Amino acid sequence: MPAKPAPIKKSAKKAAEKEEKPAAPAPVPETAPVEAPPAEDPPVEAAAPAAVEETTPAPEAPVAEGPAEETAPAADAPAEAAPAEPAPVEEPPKAPTPPPPAVPPSAPQGLSVDDVNDTSVTLKWRSPENIGSGLDGYAVEYCKEGSSEWVVANTELVTSNRHAIRGLTTGDMLNIRVVAVNAGGRSEPVVLPQPIPVREVMDRPRIRMPRALRSKYIRHAGEQINLVIPFSGKPKPVISWTKNGQPLDTKKVNVRNSDKDSILFIRKAERDDSGSYEMSVKVDSFEDKTTLIIQIVDLPGPPVSVKLVDSWGFNAALEWTPPKDNGNTEITGYTVQKADKKTGEWFTVLEHFHRLNVTVTDLVMGNVYTFRVFSENMVGRSETAAVTKDAARIKKTVPAEVVVPLSVGIVYKPLEYKEHDFSEAPKFTAPLKDRAATVGYTAKLLCAVRGSPKPKIEWLKNQMLLGDDPKFRQINNQGVCSLEIRKPSSFDGGVYTCRAKNALGEATVACKLEVKQVTIQEEKDKK
């Protein structure tokens, strides 16, 4: 007797009816109620409707007579149905991943004291090595020695790596710690290794003199002086200034002090302001001093006197004494001027002259001259000059060589001077040098010669005179001799000689010229 087909679950059949197009359902014959043994669940492929069944309606199955156990609808038989495709199974949505738990940061690093005074303590530290889930800030706490109660110093978290605890009592001993805070909580605290006393820490005073002020400070009269001299020391040092061992004149010199520097100010410097200024910085029994030398310079005065010592021929000798007022600096020289009585105009004879006497020459015969001398220093020339009381008269003297006819008047006969003989034989001052030339490229040979009278220049090749060969261009300009060889060939190589001749002799110089042939690389490759 054939086995009964497994019944189809209603859920699978309903899913198939939703996906199929509307079609006439097949008639199902009524069967007598019979207890059927439990059947196993059909495979997914059998539960799903076939793809062909979605478009073609199922034929009506014939009703067979017989016992209910042996009859079953033909449409429900898995043997007669086409292979079914699996229905898409929707996966349930995944639940969101919970965030990781917040992790507190590690302890801050390198806690140290930056500054201490009578009412505050300034701390500094480095960020934690591991910030965990972020870093919101730092909490600074302190505890008096002998107490276990920690007091929070900051009402809000500190975001920087530096904090000052203010409003403390002088003389207290404090234990201080810093804690890093984030969403995960507080870190392990970093604690100072020993208690900190709340009192001013003494720092020995020290003056930091600028390099420009370590030597003499020179300024011109009338200029403004504003010098800033920094220093250090704790507690606040006591600053004092003196000039040449005496207190400063507050009407002329102003001093302004701060916690870090002292300013010396003079609105309009005068020569009386020159001197040695001493600055003192004192903290309790410790003291630091420095000396500042200020020199105010001005224009010098004129020489005390100028004397005309003598005058002869076309010359006049002068002598003077240094000025009484040197302008608070050394005299660097003198300026000597002369003036003709006819015109009265002054002309400079000497400038920056260092001696106290001079002989003025090249004066014009028959004129009367007056002289004056100025003093000079680093600021400039004196405003006034010392003038000679006596005038220098250049007389019209008649030498023995001058013939004086009664009818004509004075006739000047100049002295005869023997002229120098500049004649010399030719001599080469720059010889020819051996060189190499390239075929087809113009070459030039150069040398230099001197001689008086002007020597005649000749060029030779291999001891043969070149003459007027157009291939060779011969030039002699102010003693510089050149031979230009136009587009030389390999036959133009050899020994070239330059010969210079005049009435007093001759001189020669020679060089070797080598003319090379250029070989093209392409021709070599073809060979």
Side-chain angles (χ1 to χ4, degrees), residues 114-133:
D114 191 28
D115 189 19
V116 179
N117 58 28
D118 292 339
T119 58
S120 67
V121 177
T122 303
L123 308 170
K124 62 180 181 180
W125 60 88
R126 299 194 306 274
S127 301
E129 185 176 355
N130 180 16
I131 62 173
S133 301

Side-chain angles (χ1 to χ4, degrees), residues 379-425:
V379 181
R381 198 171 69 180
S382 60
E383 295 179 349
T384 59
V387 185
T388 56
K389 295 179 180 179
D390 301 328
R393 299 176 181 275
I394 309 304
K395 297 179 180 179
K396 297 181 180 180
T397 56
V398 181
E401 294 83 2
V402 176
V403 180
V404 186
L406 296 177
S407 59
V408 178
I410 297 176
V411 178
Y412 178 72
K413 182 181 179 182
L415 298 176
E416 294 182 359
Y417 295 95
K418 186 179 180 181
E419 293 185 2
H420 180 72
D421 186 10
F422 291 96
S423 301
E424 68 170 324

Side-chain angles (χ1 to χ4, degrees), residues 62-328:
V63 181
E65 295 179 359
E69 293 85 355
E70 297 179 4
T71 61
D76 295 338
E80 297 178 6
E85 293 184 0
V89 179
E90 295 181 1
E91 295 183 1
K94 294 182 179 180
T97 305
V103 179
S106 59
Q109 306 178 77
L111 178 62
S112 62
V113 178
D114 191 28
D115 189 19
V116 179
N117 58 28
D118 292 339
T119 58
S120 67
V121 177
T122 303
L123 308 170
K124 62 180 181 180
W125 60 88
R126 299 194 306 274
S127 301
E129 185 176 355
N130 180 16
I131 62 173
S133 301
L135 184 62
D136 296 337
Y138 301 94
V140 182
E141 302 171 349
Y142 65 90
C143 173
K144 293 184 179 181
E145 191 176 24
S147 173
S148 60
E149 181 182 356
W150 289 91
V151 180
V152 180
N154 52 323
T155 56
E156 297 181 358
L157 294 179
V158 179
T159 56
S160 65
N161 290 7
R162 193 172 185 273
H163 183 69
I165 307 175
R166 306 184 187 279
L168 302 176
T169 305
T170 305
D172 286 350
M173 299 289 290
L174 300 181
N175 293 308
I176 303 175
R177 69 184 183 184
V178 177
V179 179
V181 182
N182 69 359
R186 293 162 55 95
S187 69
E188 290 294 328
V190 56
V191 186
L192 287 176
Q194 56 187 3
I196 300 300
V198 182
R199 60 181 177 82
E200 189 78 33
V201 177
M202 181 175 292
D203 186 10
R204 289 198 174 194
R206 182 183 177 189
I207 300 174
R208 296 182 174 88
M209 179 67 80
R211 186 180 298 274
L213 303 179
R214 294 177 187 175
S215 57
K216 186 181 295 184
Y217 185 74
I218 301 175
R219 278 293 177 268
H220 294 177
E223 291 184 349
Q224 188 182 87
I225 296 177
N226 190 17
L227 304 179
V228 180
I229 302 178
F231 61 83
S232 61
K234 286 185 179 182
K236 184 178 179 180
V238 177
I239 312 300
S240 61
W241 283 86
T242 59
K243 176 188 174 185
N244 299 328
Q246 301 296 325
L248 296 180
D249 184 358
T250 55
K251 294 181 180 179
K252 291 185 176 181
V253 184
N254 295 325
V255 175
R256 287 172 286 181
N257 299 322
S258 67
D259 295 341
K260 297 182 179 179
D261 53 42
S262 180
I263 301 175
L264 180 73
F265 179 76
I266 302 175
R267 186 172 300 278
K268 189 175 181 180
E270 299 177 358
R271 289 167 62 176
D272 294 340
D273 296 326
S274 302
S276 176
Y277 291 76
E278 186 178 80
M279 175 184 174
S280 173
V281 180
K282 190 174 182 181
V283 176
D284 292 342
S285 60
F286 300 101
E287 186 177 11
D288 190 16
K289 294 182 178 181
T290 187
T291 301
L292 172 63
I293 298 175
I294 298 178
Q295 182 178 359
I296 309 301
V297 297
D298 202 353
L299 293 173
V304 175
S305 63
V306 180
K307 182 181 179 182
L308 177 65
V309 178
D310 192 10
S311 63
W312 70 97
F314 307 109
N315 310 307
L318 303 176
E319 194 176 77
W320 60 89
T321 54
K324 290 182 179 179
D325 180 13
N326 60 1
N328 203 24

